[in-house]
Amino acid sequence: MKIGVIGGGQLGRMLALAGTPLGMNFAFLDPAPDACAAALGEHLRADYGDQDHLRQLADEVDLVTFEFESVPAETVAFLSQFVPVYPSAEALRIARDRWFEKSMFKDLGIPTPAFADIQSQADLDAAVASIGLPAVLKTRTLGYDGKGQKVLRTQADVVDTFAELGSVPCLLEGFVPFTGEVSLIAVRARDGETRFYPLVHNTHDSGILRLSVASEDHMLQGLAEDYAGRVLKQLDYVGVLAFEFFEVDGGLKANEIAPRVHNSGHWTIEGAECSQFENHLRAVAGLPLGSTAKVGESAMLNFIGEVPAVDQVVAIDDCHLHHYGKAFKVGRKVGHATLRCDDMATLEQKIQQVEALIAG
Ligand SMILES: Nc1ncnc2c1ncn2[C@@H]1O[C@H](COP(=O)(O)OP(=O)(O)O)[C@@H](O)[C@H]1O
Ligand SMILES: [Mg+2]
């Protein structure tokens, strides 16, 4: 089976690493000359709107999937004429736009921060008056790793902020005084079978994920599964969907969904029976899903900007390095390490060892 992937970054690369043993081949559509997934499959180097290359991709593959959600709607519509596309155009339409996303949460009865659609500075002033400060202004589309958003703490922060974010449609959200951030990686098969990985605790720095720790019997697992299940059903979703939540007042508030494999699920490569990458491929290919159970304790640390010395990373017991083969760039995710062990105390020690390498 040949899988077409829109986007050729590290998520595409890890999809191919998981699918190759299943006998799958891959083609990646990505305009970047240095797309890091190209090492694992065919690279169609073209813009996402290039219909000749989209047609070529559709002719070559059995189905198409995505590794990022900001794919233009026209690209999905065009491809869908010729080849099955998972997840669906509708799932992408909702997940790529924070207004549609939060409106869906609200419609489904899933708690989410107070929010308002912002089309002008006047909208922003009115929304700040009703939602209050602190609040977070985010562009409706194209934001990632904390880009395209600004925390508003005082009235002075509100002045001219709509223009600062580019005078594009935005969403104002009430600031959530969360006690923690967790994510739920879910997978739904073509026949509707749904499975969930254990909740993951996430730590961000400057909007970028730094550390994910898979949890054991989290009190909020059932609630998170209930909320995510509603979304999966609503979207008749096929593939992996990541759900980010704020933990607040002993409950959950939905932050966002990602219609794809997710950074907070990278630990599943070594830390779960079947990884999020393999399960995404199983789902879109119409294969039975694999077990989402975790094997022992595990955590993932991101390498941002650069990867520490390889010999030092792999010298740590049961530390698994994933080097994406990308060039150095400030703030860019260039690799990660998964730590595995049998108890939390040892896991904490290992996390500190890797953190020391990152700091050094
Ligand atoms: N409403 C909010 N209240 C408090 N913190 C927030 C809020 N929205 C976002 N953040 C913080 O910023 C991070 C990135 O925001 P998010 O909406 O998830 O955007 P991205 O698409 O960049 O991941 C979150 O993980 C969280 O730490
Ligand atoms: Mg996020």
Side-chain angles (χ1 to χ4, degrees):
M1 177 176 280
K2 189 163 180 181
I3 313 279
V5 184
I6 307 298
Q10 67 266 21
L11 300 181
R13 181 170 160 120
M14 288 185 270
L15 281 170
L17 284 167
T20 305
L22 300 179
M24 294 171 175
N25 295 304
F26 291 83
F28 302 95
L29 181 80
D30 194 318
D34 57 351
C36 73
L40 281 299
E42 186 186 342
H43 181 193
L44 298 180
R45 195 182 148 193
D47 286 330
Y48 299 117
D50 179 333
Q51 295 200 345
D52 291 338
H53 281 90
L54 289 175
R55 189 62 217 256
Q56 184 190 336
L57 181 72
D59 287 346
E60 272 183 31
V61 303
D62 298 286
L63 61 92
V64 169
T65 189
F66 304 91
E67 62 131 44
F68 70 111
E69 58 271 37
S70 301
V71 182
E74 307 77 55
T75 302
V76 186
F78 183 81
L79 284 167
S80 304
Q81 299 173 77
F82 311 108
V83 69
V85 177
Y86 302 109
S88 68
E90 175 62 4
L92 282 179
R93 186 184 73 83
I94 304 274
R96 70 196 293 276
D97 185 314
R98 297 187 193 278
W99 168 254
F100 294 146
E101 188 176 63
K102 290 226 158 55
S103 302
M104 176 183 66
F105 296 156
K106 198 173 161 194
D107 291 346
L108 294 174
I110 300 169
T112 193
F115 64 99
D117 185 24
I118 306 296
Q119 302 283 345
S120 65
Q121 183 66 37
D123 283 355
L124 179 58
D125 295 338
V128 166
S130 78
I131 289 176
L133 294 176
V136 190
L137 186 68
K138 304 178 178 179
T139 58
R140 275 177 53 169
T141 62
L142 301 174
Y144 69 99
D145 286 350
K147 293 182 178 69
Q149 54 178 275
K150 190 181 169 192
V151 179
L152 312 178
R153 298 192 184 278
T154 65
Q155 277 299 337
D157 294 334
V158 182
V159 180
D160 296 335
T161 302
F162 183 69
E164 244 174 72
L165 285 188
S167 299
V168 293
C170 285
L171 195 80
L172 185 75
E173 281 177 26
F175 188 89
V176 180
F178 58 78
T179 52
E181 290 190 82
V182 291
S183 59
L184 185 71
I185 309 292
V187 59
R188 188 167 183 271
R190 286 197 209 168
D191 66 6
E193 187 196 352
T194 301
R195 296 191 185 198
F196 303 96
Y197 289 92
L199 273 171
V200 183
H201 279 282
N202 299 313
T203 309
H204 296 83
D205 183 5
S206 312
I208 306 179
L209 181 67
R210 302 283 158 159
L211 170 70
S212 291
V213 182
S215 64
E216 183 81 60
D217 301 328
H218 197 293
M219 256 173 49
L220 298 170
Q221 179 81 29
L223 187 63
E225 291 185 8
D226 171 17
Y227 293 158
R230 295 183 208 178
V231 169
L232 292 165
K233 198 159 165 247
Q234 169 73 18
L235 297 173
D236 192 16
Y237 195 86
V238 177
V240 162
L241 179 96
F243 218 123
E244 295 179 13
F245 294 103
F246 298 123
E247 255 183 288
V248 62
D249 302 330
L252 295 171
K253 278 196 167 144
N255 175 27
E256 61 171 350
I257 51 172
R260 53 172 168 80
V261 287
H262 193 256
N263 197 170
S264 68
H266 290 359
W267 64 274
T268 61
I269 297 175
E270 292 88 7
E273 294 284 354
C274 181
S275 77
Q276 63 164 349
F277 299 98
E278 181 173 340
N279 256 335
H280 179 73
L281 293 167
R282 287 183 183 220
V284 299
L287 297 169
L289 299 180
S291 166
T292 50
K294 78 182 169 77
V295 285
E297 308 298 345
S298 68
M300 186 248 18
L301 289 105
N302 267 338
F303 296 134
I304 316 281
E306 61 186 329
V307 177
V310 172
D311 56 343
Q312 293 183 23
V313 178
V314 301
I316 299 169
D317 242 9
D318 256 332
C319 177
H320 304 271
L321 174 62
H322 296 259
H323 195 307
Y324 306 154
K326 290 162 64 167
F328 169 86
K329 192 176 165 193
V330 176
R332 173 188 264 181
K333 293 170 179 170
V334 291
H336 74 265
T338 308
L339 299 170
R340 277 263 310 106
C341 61
D342 295 329
D343 64 279
M344 276 311 224
T346 313
L347 190 67
E348 284 299 333
Q349 285 172 9
K350 286 174 189 272
I351 290 171
Q352 282 172 21
Q353 282 178 281
V354 177
E355 280 174 343
L357 290 182
I358 293 171

